[in-house]
Amino acid sequence: MNVFWECVKDFFGNYMLMSAVVAWLSAQIIKIFTGVFQNRKISLRVLLFSTGGMPSSHAAAVVSLATAVGLSQGFGTPMFAVSGVLSVIVMIDASGVRYETGKQATIINRITKELFSGKIDEVNTGLKELVGHTPFQVFMGFLLGIAVAALMFFIM
C-alpha cells in the first residue's frame, strides 16, 4: 500500500506533467466563459469535450509542457527539443488542418440540410464543426501555456 501512495505522490509531484494538465484545464475553464460571451449560454459540455474555441487547450498544454521542461531541465536539452518540436506540430495542426476540417464540416452540414429539407430523418447532419482554432486562439493558448508553466515553476 505504501508503494501506491509513493506513485500517487510522484505523479502529482511531477511538475512538467502537472503544468500541462493545469494549462489544459485552465484553457477549458476559460472556454466556458468565452463561450458565454459568444453564445450567451453556459455549457459544461465545453469544459469536458470541447476541441475548438478560445483559447486552444491543445496549444496551452503542449507549450506548458515544453516550457516546464525548459525551465526544469534546461532549454538546451534533448527533452526540450522534443517537447518544443511537438508543440510546434500541434499548434500548426490546430490552426491548419483541424481548422479547415471544421470549415468543411459547416459547409457539408448546410448543403445536407438544404438537400434533405423536409426529409431530415434520411440523413445525419451532425458533423462536428468546431474542431480547430484560429491563429489568434492558438496564440492565446501559447501565452497561457507559458504563463502556467512559469507560475507553477515558482509554486512547485
Side-chain angles (χ1 to χ4, degrees):
M1 191 65 153
N2 196 16
V3 173
F4 172 76
W5 291 113
E6 283 297 317
C7 290
V8 170
K9 179 182 168 190
D10 288 346
F11 180 82
F12 287 103
N14 184 327
Y15 157 64
M16 292 172 276
L17 177 62
M18 288 299 108
S19 291
V21 169
V22 169
W24 173 83
L25 187 58
S26 299
Q28 291 298 99
I29 290 169
I30 292 168
K31 283 182 190 184
I32 292 172
F33 297 105
T34 58
V36 167
F37 291 116
Q38 188 176 19
N39 303 325
R40 305 282 190 253
K41 65 180 180 178
I42 295 176
S43 173
L44 292 180
R45 187 181 133 275
V46 170
L47 173 64
L48 299 174
F49 304 110
S50 175
T51 55
M54 168 73 161
S56 168
S57 55
H58 292 87
V62 294
V63 169
S64 186
L65 176 64
T67 304
V69 167
L71 290 172
S72 63
Q73 305 294 311
F75 290 96
T77 63
M79 280 180 54
F80 176 74
V82 169
S83 59
V85 169
L86 172 69
S87 297
V88 171
I89 291 169
V90 168
M91 289 186 293
I92 289 171
D93 180 64
S95 64
V97 174
R98 287 180 45 234
Y99 183 67
E100 292 300 320
T101 300
K103 287 173 28 179
Q104 289 173 358
T106 300
I107 292 167
I108 291 169
N109 284 342
R110 283 187 198 152
I111 291 170
T112 307
K113 284 180 183 177
E114 286 182 26
L115 286 175
F116 292 96
S117 63
K119 304 172 196 169
I120 199 68
D121 293 336
E122 292 182 20
V123 68
N124 178 6
T125 59
L127 290 176
K128 190 174 182 180
E129 296 178 11
L130 190 59
V131 293
H133 299 281
T134 65
F136 181 71
Q137 292 169 337
V138 171
F139 181 69
M140 294 309 287
F142 171 85
L143 293 179
L144 177 63
I146 291 173
V148 167
L151 181 65
M152 290 191 67
F153 182 75
F154 293 109
I155 291 172
M156 294 183 83

